[in-house]
Amino acid sequence: MNQKNSAVFDQYISSTAAQQKLYKRTLIIVLMSQIFGGAGLAAGITVGALLAKDMLGTESFAGLPSALFTLGSALAAFIVGRLSQRLGRRYGLSFGFIAGGIGAIGVIFAANINSVALLFIALFIYGAGTSTNLQARYAGTDLANEKQRATATSIAMVATTFGAVAGPNLVTPMGKVATAFGMPALTGPFMLAAVAYILAGLTLFIYLRPDPLLVAKAIAEQQEQQQMKITKTVNIVQHKVNRIGIFVGALVLVLSHVIMVAIMTMTPIHMQGHGSSLSAIGMVIGLHVAAMYLPSLGTGLLVDKVGRTFVVIASGITLALAGLLAAFAPGDSLLWLTIALMLLGLGWNFGLISGTAIIIDSTTIHNRAKTQGSVDVWVALGGSAGSLLSGVVVAYSSYAYLGFIGTYLALLLVPVVIWARMKQKNKIASASS
């Protein structure tokens, strides 16, 4: 830590009131960036598959766009996690959002010149915004105590709702804007995404000062130095790392994301095949995204008050119900598909916030951002595989079969989290005996 940073951080190290003031200010900045980020996120979800279908002329590879931008988000998650650990959240998150905006611009150019190769490259880069939107949830937790972590995560996700819900419902208006400029209608949402992601990145780069992760590191280092004076030992951090917790938290995040992405990706194609309009598809996806983010504050409080295990089980059951309902709902039933997609979003929300809290509980400030980035790499890779395979499953089987697969995977969460809870209890009992 250089002298300039040390002088800035001193006031936070010595004052709990200053820490809480910065914690609240950080949440406000994250809220602002997430409103923009949510709008950028929605474009690829809503029309990415439809744009690829038009350009490729087949549904067999309709899951490829989602696979590409989730694969791109995997690389971005790794880079953003490492940048954040080394330089702070400000640099890591602003880099990721601006890269996502550049990718959205690339998609627009690709559609206008009808270049499939450029489309694939641009979607890959666009994925940086997706992973950064998820990683931004961690920024508010850096200065949160153990009873605030899930709530802090949820506050960041609630903010995403405003942009994420508005985004799909702006598909038709933005399509008209695009056609007014002589561009394909489906590039309209990516015009919105480009502006939204870049604004999110600039908001974080300009206003996220001092950096909450760097301040939290400085506070932790000061506490460790004081503890070393008392205990006369240097090994005061390693025992706090819970590898079982990291594994379980990662598995919850990955499975819930795979299930959600796979079913969500193919729903617009499924609906379009049964005669639904683009506006109807936008409404269903908008309500799905609302269910993904809007319940966050309640979920965060539930995780902090009732416990991580309970909410993980709730996630598994809700996702399983969503898969079954999607499988049995008539393809032309707007009502039942909307309910299925809203349950899908809610189950994902339960899994994301509970899994995130488990990861934070299982790490220390010295390795947290790096671990979070690594876990989000697997989340993105899982989402990429889920979206790519979902197109193949539907093309060679059916949308209903995809729903059954989602149900099976969701139910796996229940025994895994119960096993982890029993393992943790046995470990505590052994340590106390």
Side-chain angles (χ1 to χ4, degrees):
M1 187 188 304
N2 58 45
Q3 291 183 347
K4 183 179 178 181
N5 282 340
S6 180
V8 172
F9 295 161
D10 280 346
Q11 60 177 308
Y12 300 105
I13 294 172
S14 57
S15 171
T16 303
Q19 291 173 24
Q20 284 300 303
K21 185 177 179 180
L22 180 58
Y23 167 65
K24 292 175 182 178
R25 182 178 182 275
T26 298
L27 285 179
I28 292 172
I29 302 304
V30 171
L31 284 171
M32 291 170 58
S33 70
Q34 289 296 82
I35 291 173
F36 294 127
L41 171 72
I45 293 173
T46 309
V47 301
L50 300 177
L51 182 60
K53 179 189 171 186
D54 284 354
M55 292 180 68
L56 294 170
T58 176
E59 291 185 6
S60 297
F61 299 99
L64 189 57
S66 184
L68 283 169
F69 67 68
T70 48
L71 191 60
S73 74
L75 176 60
F78 180 84
I79 295 172
V80 170
R82 293 307 190 272
L83 277 176
S84 297
Q85 189 71 57
R86 184 179 178 85
L87 302 175
R89 301 285 186 193
R90 174 173 164 254
Y91 283 100
L93 296 176
S94 59
F95 163 80
F97 273 130
I98 291 172
I102 293 171
I105 293 171
V107 171
I108 296 168
F109 275 105
N112 276 280
I113 64 174
N114 200 31
S115 171
V116 174
L118 179 58
L119 175 70
F120 290 167
I121 294 170
L123 284 170
F124 182 84
I125 299 171
Y126 168 78
T130 306
S131 64
T132 307
N133 188 271
L134 279 177
Q135 284 208 40
R137 74 192 188 276
Y138 291 119
T141 68
D142 290 326
L143 294 170
N145 60 45
E146 291 184 7
K147 295 296 183 181
Q148 294 176 317
R149 287 169 179 170
T151 303
T153 300
S154 66
I155 289 172
M157 291 182 63
V158 166
T160 308
T161 308
F162 297 102
V165 172
N169 291 293
L170 290 174
V171 167
T172 301
M174 288 304 300
K176 292 178 180 178
V177 171
T179 53
F181 284 99
M183 301 180 185
L186 291 176
T187 63
F190 285 97
M191 295 170 66
L192 174 66
V195 174
Y197 274 157
I198 291 172
L199 282 176
L202 291 176
T203 298
L204 290 164
F205 187 77
I206 294 170
Y207 296 108
L208 198 62
R209 302 181 185 183
D211 193 289
L213 181 60
L214 299 183
V215 172
K217 280 185 179 181
I219 293 169
E221 288 171 5
Q222 178 69 17
Q223 291 173 345
E224 288 165 18
Q225 289 174 7
Q226 292 174 352
Q227 189 172 345
M228 285 170 61
K229 291 177 182 178
I230 298 171
T231 62
K232 304 298 182 182
T233 179
V234 296
N235 189 22
I236 60 175
V237 176
Q238 295 300 320
H239 70 280
K240 296 181 182 178
V241 177
N242 181 354
R243 297 189 183 279
I244 292 177
I246 293 173
F247 168 76
V248 172
L251 191 64
V252 171
L253 290 170
V254 170
L255 277 182
S256 58
H257 194 65
V258 167
I259 296 161
M260 186 276 293
V261 169
I263 296 175
M264 176 198 66
T265 297
M266 295 313 299
T267 299
I269 301 294
H270 179 63
M271 292 179 66
Q272 190 182 56
H274 285 81
S276 295
S277 67
L278 198 58
S279 296
I281 294 170
M283 185 195 72
V284 171
I285 297 298
L287 290 171
H288 161 70
V289 175
M292 286 171 63
Y293 293 99
L294 196 56
S296 296
L297 191 56
T299 304
L301 291 170
L302 195 64
V303 172
D304 282 334
K305 298 291 184 182
V306 179
R308 281 60 165 151
T309 301
F310 175 84
V311 180
V312 172
I313 293 172
S315 172
I317 293 172
T318 306
L319 288 169
L321 289 173
L324 285 175
L325 193 54
F328 287 111
D332 58 354
S333 174
L334 193 62
L335 173 63
W336 287 111
L337 284 173
T338 299
I339 294 172
L341 266 289
M342 289 182 72
L343 284 173
L344 186 70
L346 181 62
W348 177 87
N349 179 274
F350 288 162
L352 186 76
I353 295 180
S354 57
T356 296
I358 293 170
I359 293 292
I360 296 171
D361 291 344
S362 305
T363 55
T364 72
I365 198 66
H366 300 285
N367 61 15
R368 187 162 295 153
K370 184 170 67 174
T371 303
Q372 289 162 346
S374 298
V375 169
D376 278 1
V377 168
W378 289 105
V379 171
L381 289 174
S384 179
S387 59
L388 184 59
L389 292 174
S390 67
V392 177
V393 169
V394 172
Y396 292 98
S397 182
S398 67
Y399 180 78
Y401 192 70
L402 181 66
F404 293 137
I405 293 174
T407 298
Y408 172 75
L409 291 175
L411 292 176
L412 290 178
L413 290 174
V414 178
V416 167
V417 75
I418 292 174
W419 166 81
R421 181 70 180 269
M422 293 174 63
K423 192 87 172 175
Q424 193 65 24
K425 283 184 177 180
N426 291 338
K427 185 176 179 181
I428 294 171
S430 299
S432 60
S433 61

